[in-house]
Amino acid sequence: MNGPFSPRHPLDGAVSAGGSRHVNHVAILPQPLVLSIRTLPKQDHAVAMAIDLWREKSLRRAGPGEWWLVQERMDLSVLADLVTALKGQALVTDQSSARAVLRLSGPDCRAILAKCVAIDLHPDVFLPGQSASLMVCHVAGHLARLGADLFEISLPRSFALFAFEGLMEMGLEYGLTAGFAT
């Protein structure tokens, strides 16, 4: 018997502690809040109106009638507020323990991502604030552009290590480093 359950991040052990940080860097969020929001039938317009009030809360469009809310730190009061605001209009599900969230930054982040995603990342096409559900290093994930040289990648926990290793390999020539965000 191994003893009591001890929660671990899926990328524990994938990066060394105290390593140097290069200009191109992957920050692993240790305990993000990840919520899935899906509209109920015939509630698309009402939810879209309510969602507009949450734009500053890190919402990412995931498809018709579907959004992801991602925050750096776990804060379950946000979940409670969202459930209350969308009661009878949408389903809100906490996906925090099922997802790994990475933030890729640096001047070469688009070149690195271009090696492992099939989407046009040109700054005039994929604008800050836009997001897409797509394959990231052969893993179904979600990509959001947060800034000029900042992207967020959300992956299923089970495949996070595989995709992370692929991303790091794609960034070798650019000196890509990684570490847990503090």
Side-chain angles (χ1 to χ4, degrees):
M1 182 173 217
N2 293 334
F5 173 73
S6 176
R8 278 186 44 174
H9 192 280
L11 298 178
D12 276 353
V15 294
S16 57
S20 63
R21 181 185 170 127
H22 187 265
V23 65
N24 297 305
H25 185 74
V26 175
I28 303 164
L29 301 185
Q31 292 185 319
L33 174 67
V34 182
L35 303 177
S36 168
I37 304 161
R38 293 187 184 227
T39 60
L40 292 172
K42 300 179 182 177
Q43 295 296 321
D44 291 344
H45 181 70
V47 171
M49 299 294 283
I51 288 290
D52 278 341
L53 302 174
W54 291 83
R55 289 282 175 216
E56 71 281 356
K57 299 284 187 179
S58 307
L59 273 171
R60 289 90 167 96
R61 182 91 170 160
E66 183 179 1
W67 293 266
W68 288 98
L69 184 140
V70 181
Q71 292 186 333
E72 285 189 30
R73 304 263 182 247
M74 178 67 68
D75 180 359
L76 293 180
S77 68
V78 173
L79 172 61
D81 293 346
L82 200 53
V83 166
T84 300
L86 297 175
K87 187 173 184 167
Q89 300 172 333
L91 301 174
V92 181
T93 309
D94 183 2
Q95 297 289 324
S96 303
S97 61
R99 307 293 287 184
V101 180
L102 314 174
R103 298 248 170 103
L104 174 62
S105 62
D108 300 306
C109 62
R110 284 187 302 114
I112 295 166
L113 278 174
K115 294 180 173 191
C116 56
V117 299
I119 191 171
D120 189 347
L121 296 170
H122 190 278
D124 294 335
V125 176
F126 196 65
L127 304 171
Q130 288 185 314
S131 61
S133 294
L134 51 101
M135 300 298 281
V136 180
C137 295
H138 306 288
V139 174
H142 193 261
L143 178 70
R145 184 165 179 212
L146 305 181
D149 292 327
L150 179 61
F151 290 85
E152 178 182 86
I153 304 166
S154 172
L155 300 160
R157 178 184 181 87
S158 307
F159 299 102
L161 181 58
F162 176 80
F164 172 76
E165 288 173 344
L167 183 64
M168 294 306 294
E169 187 174 336
M170 298 302 116
L172 279 175
E173 72 178 286
Y174 299 100
L176 185 63
T177 57
F180 281 93
T182 54

